[in-house]
Amino acid sequence: MSAALTLVAKERGGVALVEQVLYPVLVSAWRSPLRFIAHTSPFTALELAAPLGDLGGSAVGGDEWTATGPYQEVLAAAFRQAQQQELAKDDHGFPGRGIVELWEDEGWREYILTGGTCTVLDFYALIDADAGDEFAMMRPLTEEEIRSWAPDGRPTRDQWDAAIRRLLDPVGRGIGRCTVLYRDGEPAEIAYWGCTAD
């Protein structure tokens, strides 16, 4: 199963039609200003319609959040660990399940897409930094993005705290980002931030 979410927009009669290859979690539970045109079975394409200009960038309607989690050399493992720790603190009324099981549950998807948790639990998987932002996926910053606010490419917690407003500004609903934070020149923790879907 691919973690990728492919977004293709095309104009038809002043409306942007968007094709997205999504996890099954997003097909049945999408609740946004976009409306369904049609969709097929899980893991296939769906078309959503929205007026041109409504397809991203704005956190209006979503809640921004920030957090840090433990560092691991493999970023995807650190992300899963952060999710497990968050789930141990609060299962949000969905007891006894791991993150993958939660995302397979229609009730969980509805919960995330109509409010969310303001945590790493709002995201299904970690994607490649070069993939671009994808709905319900956590994306690490690219080297260029990091150096725009941490010129040495090794951001500290203080630099992240100082830059967080400008880091949150371009994050649209259902989007998450992360980066490694350094202490005394060594990787120390992972910073996560994003915006809920609604």
Side-chain angles (χ1 to χ4, degrees), residues 21 32 34 54-55 64 80 172 181 191 196:
V21 179
S32 78
L34 304 177
D54 287 353
L55 294 176
E64 297 172 335
R80 282 295 188 226
L181 298 180
T196 60

Side-chain angles (χ1 to χ4, degrees), residues 37-168:
I37 293 175
H39 75 272
T40 57
S41 62
F43 302 100
T44 60
L46 64 93
E47 284 192 345
L48 303 171
L52 291 175
D54 287 353
L55 294 176
S58 174
V60 173
D63 293 317
E64 297 172 335
W65 60 272
T66 64
T68 57
Y71 171 77
Q72 288 192 42
E73 189 173 346
V74 176
L75 199 53
F79 173 65
R80 282 295 188 226
Q81 181 182 2
Q83 287 181 310
Q84 290 165 353
Q85 288 178 342
E86 191 62 42
L87 200 52
K89 285 193 283 187
D90 186 352
D91 65 16
H92 298 273
F94 294 84
R97 296 178 232 175
I99 193 69
V100 173
E101 292 171 301
L102 284 173
W103 277 96
E104 291 171 350
D105 182 297
E106 185 175 334
W108 176 259
R109 297 186 307 259
E110 179 77 15
Y111 180 73
I112 293 300
L113 296 173
T114 59
T117 66
C118 289
T119 71
V120 291
L121 297 176
D122 292 346
F123 303 92
Y124 182 80
L126 184 86
I127 59 174
D128 186 71
D130 294 321
D133 290 326
E134 298 181 7
F135 188 82
M137 301 294 163
M138 179 65 65
R139 179 181 69 80
L141 293 184
T142 64
E143 187 70 23
E144 181 180 336
E145 288 171 320
I146 294 168
R147 288 184 182 278
S148 73
W149 56 277
D152 68 352
R154 297 170 83 81
T156 65
R157 177 71 176 264
D158 287 342
Q159 286 175 306
W160 180 63
D161 287 340
I164 196 60
R165 180 71 261 148
R166 74 182 240 210
L167 293 172
L168 278 166

